[in-house]
Amino acid sequence: PILPSTDGKGTQCTTGDGITIPRYMLTGADKDAVSSSNEIFVSDFINKRIQVFNMKGDLLCIFHTENMFPMDISTDSKGSVWVLLGSDSRPSVYSVHQYSGGGHCLSKFKLPGGEIKTAIAVDRQSDNIVVAWWHT
């Protein structure tokens, strides 16, 4: 998660991993994940994108999530980024996309309908993808 301002002026904020980043870069920041190569992936729900930072807080790249909202994000042991995406249509459509660290979509699959998907995690030992949800 993104934590409140650390400079007392509201111009910086800190990720849950202790990295300080200028607030203007995190307008819609919601979730974050750190790769095994120490890149910080921050999901930007409002702007439908993923921002990638190094451990110093420097922006490395930004990639968009195909006009879907990033609901959660995780990384695997091979450096891929897994993003749980949701649409704004009714009923909502959910899918999981696998991206390279540079933002190229490597694979994707749709999830069964009827539930609200809430979280994604990757077991780094087995690289199994876990999606948590609740039934509606």
Side-chain angles (χ1 to χ4, degrees):
I2 305 303
L3 305 176
S5 172
T6 56
D7 67 353
K9 300 175 188 171
T11 59
Q12 295 181 358
C13 59
T14 304
T15 68
D17 302 306
I19 306 303
T20 300
I21 298 171
R23 179 158 298 287
Y24 72 88
M25 296 177 134
L26 300 171
T27 305
D30 186 34
K31 308 285 182 167
D32 61 49
V34 178
S35 71
S36 57
S37 59
N38 290 323
E39 292 173 316
I40 304 165
F41 295 85
V42 180
S43 67
D44 183 341
F45 184 86
I46 293 170
N47 296 302
K48 301 177 185 173
R49 66 185 182 181
I50 305 297
Q51 298 177 87
V52 186
F53 299 90
N54 64 20
M55 289 302 228
K56 294 178 184 176
D58 301 322
L59 181 66
L60 302 176
C61 72
I62 295 173
F63 56 93
H64 293 273
T65 54
E66 299 183 23
N67 207 31
M68 294 183 79
F69 297 101
M71 310 295 285
D72 202 5
I73 188 168
S74 190
T75 57
D76 66 22
S77 64
K78 297 174 185 135
S80 291
V81 183
W82 293 85
V83 184
L84 173 62
L85 298 167
S87 71
D88 58 358
S89 63
R90 297 290 176 248
S92 291
V93 175
Y94 294 94
S95 64
V96 172
H97 291 205
Q98 176 191 20
Y99 293 97
S100 69
H104 294 43
C105 188
L106 304 174
S107 66
K108 56 186 169 181
F109 57 90
K110 288 185 178 178
L111 296 170
E115 296 94 15
I116 298 174
K117 277 60 177 177
T118 61
I120 189 169
V122 177
D123 177 340
R124 287 201 178 170
Q125 291 183 352
S126 66
D127 279 338
N128 287 330
I129 305 159
V130 179
V131 178
W133 70 87
W134 70 84
H135 294 277
T136 56

